[in-house]
Amino acid sequence: MTRSFAVLSLIAAASAAHAAAYQVPENIGYKDVTIIQSNVVQECNELGRQLSASLAAELTKTGVEVQRVAALDAAAGPVVDIKISNLVSAGNAFIGHRKSASVWVELRQGSEVLASKGFTRDTMGGAFAGFKGSCTVLERAVLVLGKDVAQWTQSIPLRAGAAPAAAASAP
C-alpha cells in the first residue's frame, strides 16, 4: 500500500511539474506604442518575435520547459509577462548607430506578481556597424535582453508545488 502511494505521489508531482512550463508570449508587444518612434514600429516589426525567441532559447538552456503562446494564462503555470517599453533609434550607418531597447517584465504565478523589473540595453552596432541597418542593430539589443530576462527570471523563486518542468532532453 505504501509503495502504491509513493508511485502515485511521484506521478502527481511529475504531472504538476509538466503543467508548470514557463509561458512566454510568441510575439512580444509594446507597453505603450505611442512613445516609440513610428518608423521603428513599422520598419522593425520582427523585434517582438526575435525577443521572444531569444528569451525562450535562453530559458531552455537553463533546463526548464518553455511554451511560446499567443495568449498568456497565469493559471497554467509561471508566466513571463514582458512588454517592449521603449526603442530608441538614433544615428545611422554613416554617423554611427546609437540604439537602445527597453523592456518591462512581470513574473506571474496564478494571480500573484512574484517580481517585476525593467531592463535596457544600448548598442552602437558592434563590429562592422557601418554596414548594418537600424533594425539589425536593434535586433542585437533585443537578443541580449532575452538573455538578461532569462537570467533574472531564473533568480526568482516560484511558489511551492509549481516549479517549472525540466526541458525534455534528446535521446
Side-chain angles (χ1 to χ4, degrees):
M1 182 74 159
T2 305
R3 183 177 286 173
S4 298
F5 179 74
V7 170
L8 288 175
S9 295
L10 285 172
I11 292 170
S15 297
H18 179 68
Y22 280 107
Q23 293 178 54
V24 173
E26 64 186 18
N27 187 14
I28 296 168
Y30 297 101
K31 187 171 181 174
D32 180 2
V33 72
T34 64
I35 66 168
I36 299 172
Q37 298 164 273
S38 61
N39 65 319
V40 173
V41 173
Q42 291 170 355
E43 295 170 18
C44 304
N45 54 11
E46 288 298 311
L47 292 175
R49 282 180 185 46
Q50 293 163 339
L51 176 56
S52 173
S54 173
L55 175 56
E58 293 300 323
L59 280 171
T60 301
K61 284 181 187 176
T62 68
V64 298
E65 186 178 333
V66 178
Q67 295 176 339
R68 291 179 66 198
V69 296
L72 299 174
D73 178 12
V79 167
V80 182
D81 190 359
I82 179 171
K83 300 283 187 211
I84 297 171
S85 55
N86 202 4
L87 295 171
V88 175
S89 180
N92 57 46
F94 303 106
I95 64 170
H97 291 285
R98 289 177 301 286
K99 313 293 184 215
S100 174
S102 300
V103 296
W104 181 255
V105 187
E106 291 182 345
L107 180 59
R108 299 177 178 272
Q109 191 173 9
S111 61
E112 182 181 356
V113 175
L114 300 178
S116 57
K117 185 173 179 171
F119 295 86
T120 298
R121 280 293 181 155
D122 302 316
T123 183
M124 295 177 68
F128 307 107
F131 300 102
K132 295 178 183 176
S134 292
C135 296
T136 302
V137 176
L138 282 168
E139 177 184 356
R140 175 184 167 98
V142 299
L143 294 179
V144 176
L145 280 171
K147 291 179 184 180
D148 294 344
V149 173
Q151 284 180 332
W152 171 79
T153 300
Q154 290 299 285
S155 74
I156 308 300
L158 298 176
R159 287 195 321 250
S169 59

